[in-house]
Amino acid sequence: MRNEITTSSHKIFFLDIGIIKDIPFTQDETLNKAKEALEAAKKYTGSKKFPLLVDVRQQKSISREARHFYSSKEVTDNVTALAFLVESTTSKVLANFFLGLNKPPYPTKLFTNEDEAIEWLKGFLK
């Protein structure tokens, strides 16, 4: 199996160490796009839980429905931890907005350095 899946709005990578990396390439996240991304990630992992690195540096918005989905049982049954890769003020605000309003039940942290994010996520490999 190749280590990359492209959906209509995300590139999903399976890193050899067992972490899923998600790079949304549209600036707005909707519920349908979020569900499609989770399904693509599950193709790599099946029923096994995984740490998730999401690069939101290019994101401008996320719908209310997508935010709720990312904190839903469907996601929490699959994700052990979430690292957001942020850069601009917009991406930091977007990630903090998600954390503040939705309070995901899995460990979540913001990073500006991808290597540091991956190191942190390694602690959540099952």
Side-chain angles (χ1 to χ4, degrees):
M1 175 192 297
R2 63 182 202 182
N3 69 346
E4 177 187 324
I5 296 174
T6 301
T7 71
S8 66
S9 58
H10 292 251
K11 282 193 183 280
I12 310 292
F13 300 88
F14 180 73
L15 306 181
D16 292 338
I17 55 177
I19 294 171
I20 298 291
K21 179 179 178 183
D22 178 1
I23 304 175
F25 55 82
T26 60
Q27 293 184 352
D28 62 319
E29 183 73 347
T30 65
L31 177 59
N32 288 339
K33 292 174 184 177
K35 287 183 174 184
E36 187 180 39
L38 178 64
E39 288 307 310
K42 288 169 42 177
K43 287 182 181 176
Y44 289 121
T45 62
S47 61
K48 186 176 177 185
K49 292 182 87 160
F50 55 87
L52 178 62
L53 171 63
V54 181
D55 183 341
V56 295
R57 292 179 290 187
Q58 301 303 312
Q59 290 263 242
K60 300 291 185 215
S61 68
I62 181 170
S63 74
R64 180 175 176 261
E65 294 83 7
R67 283 195 328 269
H68 287 292
F69 174 73
Y70 283 127
S71 293
S72 72
K73 183 172 176 14
E74 188 173 353
V75 175
T76 60
D77 283 349
N78 291 283
V79 174
T80 59
L82 170 64
F84 281 117
L85 190 57
V86 297
E87 185 176 64
S88 68
T89 301
T90 302
S91 64
K92 289 176 187 173
V93 167
L94 187 69
N96 279 313
F97 188 68
F98 170 75
L99 294 175
L101 287 180
N102 298 97
K103 299 182 185 10
Y106 39 78
T108 307
K109 193 170 177 181
L110 276 61
F111 293 88
T112 56
N113 179 288
E114 184 171 343
D115 292 334
E116 290 174 9
I118 289 171
E119 279 305 309
W120 181 76
L121 287 171
K122 284 179 181 179
F124 299 96
L125 290 166
K126 297 271 179 178

